[in-house]
Amino acid sequence: MAGLYLEEFVPGHVIRHTLTKSVTESDNMLFSVMTLNPQPLHIDFDFAAKSEWGKPLVNSLFTLGLMIGISVHDTTLGTTIGNLGMTDTVFPHPLFHGDTVRVETEVKSVRPSKSKADRGIVEFEHRAYNQNDELVAKCTRQAMMLRKPA
C-alpha cells in the first residue's frame, strides 16, 4: 500500500499496523555490531545473565527503528519528504530475543506548510507492544509529507 498524502491524515485516527516482527538474537547482534555499540547488556550473554534482566536486552535504537519501520507501509511509503524530528521517546519495558512486536500509530496533528504549497507536517505518536501487550517503546515523530498532486 502506498503512503498517505497530507490531506488523508486525520488527527485522532489510530492505525493498527498489520505487520509484526519477532525479534531474533541475530537482529540484535547485527544491529549492535553495525552501529558499533559494544554495550554488554546487548551482546554479552554472560554479562546480561548477571544483570537484573537475566538475559540480553534488545538494543533500544533497534526497537525504535523497528517501530517506525513497521508504520511506513500504512503511513509514509513514497509520500514523505523526510523526518523532521522525534521527541518524547521512551522505552518503558525491555524487549528481549523472541518477543513479537506490534505497532499502532496515532495521528496527533496535521498542518500545511506555511512556505511551500506542496507539503505539510504530520505529527505521529508511534507505540510498540510485545506479545503480552506491554508497551516497549513510544515516540512522537514529525514528518514532512507531500500534499496530493493537483
Side-chain angles (χ1 to χ4, degrees):
M1 171 180 175
L4 303 174
Y5 289 98
L6 181 73
E7 297 83 359
E8 297 174 295
F9 290 105
V10 177
H13 182 215
V14 176
I15 302 162
R16 289 177 177 80
H17 306 288
T18 57
L19 286 177
T20 62
K21 168 131 176 72
S22 294
V23 178
T24 68
E25 176 186 335
S26 293
D27 294 329
N28 192 38
M29 285 295 220
L30 181 60
F31 185 86
S32 294
V33 169
M34 285 176 55
T35 58
L36 303 178
N37 183 341
Q39 174 53 252
L41 276 173
H42 303 313
I43 63 173
D44 184 329
F45 278 74
D46 182 58
F47 181 92
K50 297 171 186 166
S51 75
E52 70 178 273
W53 309 109
K55 56 187 172 181
L57 301 175
V58 172
N59 187 312
S60 59
L61 293 180
F62 175 81
T63 304
L64 177 65
L66 177 61
M67 175 174 64
I68 292 171
I70 286 174
S71 78
V72 167
H73 285 6
D74 298 323
T75 57
T76 63
L77 184 64
T79 55
T80 189
I81 296 167
N83 285 321
L84 300 176
M86 293 168 210
T87 59
D88 305 315
T89 303
V90 295
F91 304 98
H93 189 278
L95 191 64
F96 299 105
H97 303 160
D99 283 350
T100 299
V101 175
R102 71 172 178 81
V103 176
E104 62 185 30
T105 298
E106 183 174 349
V107 178
K108 300 301 271 182
S109 66
V110 180
R111 74 169 179 84
S113 170
K114 295 174 183 163
S115 60
K116 296 191 179 183
D118 69 335
R119 62 193 67 187
I121 297 170
V122 177
E123 185 174 64
F124 301 102
E125 182 179 270
H126 301 292
R127 297 180 291 264
Y129 300 89
N130 67 13
Q131 67 281 356
N132 300 317
D133 289 328
E134 296 165 310
L135 183 68
V136 296
K138 179 173 77 168
C139 86
T140 301
R141 176 172 69 114
Q142 300 79 31
M144 178 84 57
M145 301 299 300
L146 290 171
R147 296 186 83 156
K148 281 187 179 179

